[in-house]
Structure formats: structure tokens, C-alpha cells
Amino acid sequence: MQYFSNLQSYFYGSNSSSNSSCPSSPVQWCFNDIDGYELCIRNPTLIPTCILALTIGLFCSKRISKLPGTFSTRWLYQLTFFLYGIMMTSAGILHCFLGDPQKLSNALQDNDINSSEFMQILFAVIDVGLTTNIAVSFFFCGLCDIKFLNPESKFTRFLLMISYCIVFLLWTLGILNQWTWTFHVLYLGVVSVCCFIYLLTQLCIKSARRALPSLIFGGIYGAIGLFAASIGADHVCKSEGPFWSQYIGPEFLWFLFSDISMAFVFLYVIQVNRKKKTVIKRYPVDIEKNPEKF
């Protein structure tokens, strides 16, 4: 699980297997200015995928806000796509600009955190916290779509905000206290369960079935990205070779396919909630003169 091993290394110091075909450390592009300051960018190819994600998040959120007609879960879907853009932006900053994750892991173990490492922790919490909370948002979207929860009620909003706070609190405590279970439970477990329940709720909506292909394609792309970043990572790196796997390896594929997946989910939401146009047909027959033809 190359990508997830890299992510865990930010918190728990776990490293990729020595038998892996993937690069042991990400590629870096470093630049020096006239004052001798060095700027290093890790995983530079992730930057376009994060910019794309931010664009998708902002555009989709704005587009959903302008859907005509009544759409009770409008604000929930707006929030979900907006959070996706913010999450991927924070992920890009974390993975590309904020230093060596192994140093952060060592600092956490030694309880010796400086300002730079504090920023890494902050963006790490934002990244993983929003990842989990986006799944929680889809969970709430599904429950509201089938009328199990009322999206307009204050109770639903309060419950959602409390869920967000609990997730961020658990991630913060898990990272600071080196709780290894938080990654498996909050990142893999909660995300998988919430997305699966969302899929089940959409299958229960009769009017949504015509748009299911978009949702299915979104799920397929998400699953392919997850496979490429986890159990298929070694195969991807072997296929691409040591050079290309540094740039378009499992982590890049996971980010890119996540963007494609969210784009398909957006298409699904638009198709389901698009207001049907009333078509008025004109007939050449005068009903008053020829009533027998009607």
C-alpha cells in the first residue's frame, strides 16, 4: 500500500516495504534564489491534480447552487464539493511543500516540534480530517436524499457539525499521540462505510436510476485509483519503471482518479436534480371544430 504507507509515515513513522518496486523517497525539484534560499518541491506532478481538484470543487459547488427548482440537499452537496477542493489543496501543500514526513514522525516521537513541523501537523489534520468528513458529508447527503434526515432541520445541521468536530478531534489526538488505529478506522474504515451507504441510498431512489451510470463510473474510477495506490502500487511501479513511477506513480494516479471520480459524482447529482422541462405541444387540429378527433 505505497501511497497509504507514505501517508502513514507522516504520523507513525511507517515506511514502505524494502521489497517494493516503488521509489523509497519522492522526487524533489529544488531551486535556489540569489540569497541562497532553497525551495524544494516534493512530488511536483501532484500539483496539477490538486489545482484540478480545487477547480472541480469550486465549480461544482457553484454550479449546484444555481440548479433551478427545489433541491432540499443543495447546501449539503455544495458543502461536500467545496470541502473536496479545500482538502485536495491542503493535500498538495502538505505533500509538495511542507518538508520531510520522516522528520515530522521523529519529532512527534520525541515531542520536539518546531514551527515548521507544527504547520505540517496542521495541514495533515486538515487533509485527513477533511477526507473523512467529505465521506461523512456524502453519508448525510444519502440519508437526506431518502428522507431519513431532514436537510432543512437544525438538528441535521447540528449533527453534521458535531460529526465534523469529532473527526477532527480524533485525528488530532491520533496524530499527536501516535494512535495507529486512527488511520485504519478514520481514513479507510469510515470513508469506505460512508461511501458504501451513500451508494445504497441512491439505489433506493427510483428517480435517480436514470443517472446511475455516472455514479457507477465515478465509483469505478475511485476504485481504480484506490487499487493503484494500495495493493496494485507495486505492479504500477514495475510497469512504469523507476523513472516514470517517480512522477506518475501510484500517488499521482490516486489523486488524478479521485478528481475524475468526483467529476462523475457531480454529473450524477446534476442529472438527478435537473428540473424537468414542461413540453407544450401544438396540434394542427381545432378541438372546437373537430372534437371527434380528441
Side-chain angles (χ1 to χ4, degrees):
M1 300 177 70
Q2 179 69 21
Y3 169 70
F4 298 109
S5 295
N6 290 340
L7 184 61
Q8 280 184 286
S9 70
Y10 273 94
F11 318 129
Y12 316 121
S14 59
N15 296 317
S16 301
S17 171
S18 59
N19 296 324
S20 174
S21 300
C22 297
S24 57
S25 59
V27 66
Q28 293 190 76
W29 291 355
C30 293
F31 308 91
N32 294 313
D33 63 12
I34 56 176
D35 297 324
Y37 176 77
E38 185 179 60
L39 171 65
C40 288
I41 302 175
R42 300 161 59 89
N43 303 300
T45 50
L46 295 184
I47 295 176
T49 65
C50 294
I51 294 174
L52 176 61
L54 179 61
T55 304
I56 289 173
L58 296 179
F59 171 80
C60 294
S61 181
K62 185 69 173 179
R63 182 70 178 81
I64 290 172
S65 71
K66 294 185 176 181
L67 281 175
T70 57
F71 180 14
S72 60
T73 52
R74 184 193 308 271
W75 69 271
L76 255 176
Y77 280 103
Q78 276 185 263
L79 177 63
T80 303
F81 281 95
F82 177 77
L83 291 180
Y84 177 75
I86 301 302
M87 180 271 291
M88 290 296 285
T89 301
S90 65
I93 295 172
L94 175 67
H95 290 275
C96 300
F97 297 102
L98 290 184
D100 187 355
Q102 190 59 47
K103 291 181 180 179
L104 174 60
S105 177
N106 294 336
L108 286 170
Q109 292 173 1
D110 298 335
N111 292 319
D112 183 19
I113 300 173
N114 58 33
S115 58
S116 175
E117 289 156 352
F118 173 79
M119 290 300 296
Q120 278 185 272
I121 294 174
L122 176 62
F123 276 89
V125 170
I126 294 173
D127 177 19
V128 293
L130 285 181
T131 300
T132 304
N133 279 330
I134 288 167
V136 171
S137 296
F138 274 118
F139 173 74
F140 272 80
C141 287
L143 294 183
C144 290
D145 284 339
I146 62 173
K147 311 302 181 184
F148 185 84
L149 291 175
N150 179 7
E152 303 298 333
S153 73
K154 292 182 180 179
F155 172 75
T156 300
R157 296 171 188 262
F158 175 77
L159 190 60
L160 180 64
M161 292 302 113
I162 288 295
S163 300
Y164 284 173
C165 292
I166 291 174
V167 166
F168 277 119
L169 178 62
L170 288 176
W171 268 118
T172 303
L173 293 175
I175 291 172
L176 294 178
N177 294 296
Q178 301 284 283
W179 295 342
T180 55
W181 61 265
T182 53
F183 176 83
H184 298 286
V185 173
L186 296 178
Y187 199 100
L188 299 178
V190 173
V191 171
S192 300
V193 171
C194 287
C195 291
F196 180 69
I197 292 176
Y198 176 74
L199 175 61
L200 291 181
T201 60
Q202 301 311 297
L203 292 174
C204 295
I205 303 173
K206 186 176 181 180
S207 61
R209 292 174 185 172
R210 70 182 187 277
L212 278 178
S214 296
L215 184 62
I216 292 172
F217 275 115
I220 290 173
Y221 273 101
I224 293 174
L226 181 62
F227 175 80
S230 55
I231 59 177
D234 196 50
H235 177 73
V236 170
C237 293
K238 283 182 179 178
S239 301
E240 294 179 345
F243 176 78
W244 288 111
S245 60
Q246 297 179 92
Y247 294 96
I248 54 174
E251 195 167 3
F252 171 83
L253 295 177
W254 171 235
F255 276 52
L256 177 62
F257 280 31
S258 295
D259 291 346
I260 298 173
S261 176
M262 286 297 288
F264 272 109
V265 174
F266 165 71
L267 290 177
Y268 168 77
V269 174
I270 291 294
Q271 290 167 357
V272 170
N273 296 283
R274 182 180 293 146
K275 188 177 181 180
K276 294 182 179 179
K277 295 182 179 179
T278 303
V279 179
I280 301 176
K281 295 183 178 180
R282 293 186 177 183
Y283 294 92
V285 180
D286 191 328
I287 189 173
E288 294 182 355
K289 294 181 179 180
N290 303 282
E292 70 279 359
K293 293 187 177 182
F294 288 88

